Amino acid sequence: MISAGIDIGSKNIKVIILNGKKTIGEAIRTSGENQEKAVDETLALAVKNAKIDRSDIDKIAATGIGRKTFKNADYVITDVTAGGRGIFECNNSVRTGIEIGAEESKAIRVSQTGKVTDSAVNEKCAAGSGSFVESMARALGINVKLFAELALSSDATIPMNAQCAVFAESEVVSLIAQNTSQKDISKAVHDSIASRVSSMARRVKLEPKIAIFGGLAYNPGFVSAFKKNLEIEEIFIPEKPLFVDALGAALLAQEKTVED
Amino acid sequence: MIANYGYMDGSGEYYITIDTDKCAECRGKMCVTACPKALFERVTDDYDDDVVKIADGKVKDIRYQCMECKPPGHPVLPCIAACTPMALKHSW
């Protein structure tokens, strides 16, 4: 069976096409202003990459914050369920998955069969999301990649007192005015995000193995700060952290079809 | 599943926790009508269980939605009192 999983996120749209459990095509692009058009284009690109015809897809499942906007989905699946199924497929010894996307973070605990047993989402506060990093890098006038790497070269512990992303930016500006080095500011920002995400994650009774996925999984500064905050040595990062929800949705489309 | 709906911000943590395994066994779902703010909605979840969840669009301000049911000294919240399987909890 060929299935497609479409993860309609606030910043990016990710599509995975599976033939059985094998990925045969994938695509990603920014959501932009016209989300509906962007979804169609991303799906078309994934179909092209898979070297199949759109009509070859048996079932489509949509997930992500914009999942209800895609009218051609056979199944609409919450991002918690899709994320849980996706991360379990990436590594079946994972029991807790932490996803940090552009606008929200979530913690998902899965059972030995991959079913979600506990979940918590924080979609209100930007201070625990990927867009916070982008905003702080912008305040420093450097790109996100460099900003993330700089944190690794600092040993400083500068507490950021602001609980809100907007006020935190003012705090960063104050640190710049005090001639605090970029690496120390970067570490302070990443420590601050790690602390917020950890607090949310603890709501689900963290159980190893712990995995992180979503955009911030690419950020070494965050990964290091997160491990330190949770006092864990090992953390699993899937090969394609951005596609975990899409993968879960595509798998669930097949599994639900069999159930039906 | 233990589903935590809510958020944390600078002022604290505001989560309503629903044990969907217990919730699925409840036929009445009386919490839906007990809440004066219509915070709960009845849905079929991804595992095809008949459960309640916090209505879309109300998660981000549950602290304020729940405020009038939480005056000092209030005995029991209407949603908690209506939830016979004891599947509901408030974190604050």
Side-chain angles (χ1 to χ4, degrees), chain A residues 65 67-68 76-82 109 114-125 163-164 195-196 199-200 203-205 252 256 259-260, chain B residues 1-17 20-21 41 45-49 53 56 59-64 89-91:
Chain A
I65 198 160
R67 60 187 179 274
K68 289 176 184 167
V76 176
I77 296 164
T78 63
D79 29 8
V80 166
T81 307
R109 199 148 62 94
K115 187 180 174 186
V116 177
T117 57
D118 211 332
S119 69
V121 182
N122 192 353
E123 55 180 313
K124 182 171 181 177
C125 183
Q163 296 280 336
C164 167
S195 163
R196 281 165 183 75
S199 302
M200 187 267 308
R203 288 204 68 80
V204 304
K205 299 181 192 76
L252 286 162
K256 280 182 176 288
E259 278 173 23
D260 293 347
Chain B
M1 177 171 88
I2 307 294
N4 292 281
Y5 296 97
Y7 59 90
M8 49 184 292
D9 62 16
S11 63
E13 289 192 21
Y14 309 96
Y15 281 96
I16 293 178
T17 303
T20 58
D21 294 333
E41 67 179 13
D45 71 8
D46 292 331
Y47 300 105
D48 295 328
D49 287 326
K53 66 185 271 287
D56 290 339
V59 176
K60 291 182 185 178
D61 60 352
I62 56 168
R63 179 190 178 196
Y64 304 101
K89 277 182 198 165
H90 286 231
S91 72

Side-chain angles (χ1 to χ4, degrees), chain A residues 3-114:
Chain A
S3 66
I6 304 177
D7 176 12
I8 307 168
S10 53
K11 188 174 180 188
N12 292 307
I13 294 160
K14 288 81 69 178
V15 176
I16 272 194
I17 298 177
L18 297 181
N19 187 350
K21 285 194 170 186
K22 189 184 174 205
T23 301
I24 56 171
E26 59 188 34
I28 181 169
R29 62 155 288 178
T30 52
S31 302
E33 286 177 6
N34 189 341
Q35 199 174 59
E36 214 174 315
K37 188 175 166 220
V39 171
D40 283 337
E41 287 175 1
T42 318
L43 180 58
L45 185 58
V47 164
K48 189 180 166 198
N49 292 340
K51 298 184 175 70
I52 58 169
D53 193 78
R54 166 91 184 246
S55 60
D56 294 331
I57 299 173
D58 299 302
K59 294 288 175 187
I60 298 177
T63 187
I65 198 160
R67 60 187 179 274
K68 289 176 184 167
T69 62
F70 183 64
K71 305 296 177 208
N72 297 322
D74 297 291
Y75 302 105
V76 176
I77 296 164
T78 63
D79 29 8
V80 166
T81 307
R85 181 65 188 89
I87 198 64
F88 185 77
E89 188 63 27
C90 294
N91 184 331
N92 62 14
S93 58
V94 167
R95 292 292 167 270
T96 312
I98 315 290
E99 179 175 13
I100 308 103
E103 300 289 344
E104 64 177 31
S105 49
K106 62 179 79 72
I108 306 162
R109 199 148 62 94
V110 294
S111 69
Q112 290 177 345
T113 58

Side-chain angles (χ1 to χ4, degrees), chain A residues 127-144:
Chain A
S129 69
S131 57
F132 181 58
V133 179
E134 290 181 0
S135 158
M136 296 303 117
R138 244 190 337 263
L140 279 180
I142 57 179
N143 70 50
V144 176

Side-chain angles (χ1 to χ4, degrees), chain A residues 221-238:
Chain A
F222 170 75
V223 173
S224 167
F226 191 61
K227 278 160 75 173
K228 220 170 272 179
N229 197 292
L230 289 182
E231 296 175 347
I232 52 172
E233 298 279 319
E234 193 195 348
I235 203 152
F236 172 74
I237 300 173

Side-chain angles (χ1 to χ4, degrees), chain A residues 142-208:
Chain A
I142 57 179
N143 70 50
V144 176
K145 188 171 184 289
L146 176 61
F147 184 65
E149 286 164 357
L150 276 173
L152 299 175
S153 56
S154 168
D155 292 323
T157 304
I158 303 172
M160 292 201 54
N161 299 315
Q163 296 280 336
C164 167
V166 176
F167 294 122
E169 188 163 349
S170 308
E171 210 167 326
V172 166
V173 172
S174 300
L175 289 171
I176 295 169
Q178 292 161 27
N179 286 326
T180 308
S181 69
Q182 288 187 335
K183 63 177 186 174
D184 291 347
I185 295 175
S186 170
K187 178 147 185 301
V189 167
H190 287 98
D191 285 348
S192 157
I193 305 169
S195 163
R196 281 165 183 75
V197 175
S198 302
S199 302
M200 187 267 308
R202 286 190 178 97
R203 288 204 68 80
V204 304
K205 299 181 192 76
L206 292 166
E207 185 186 343

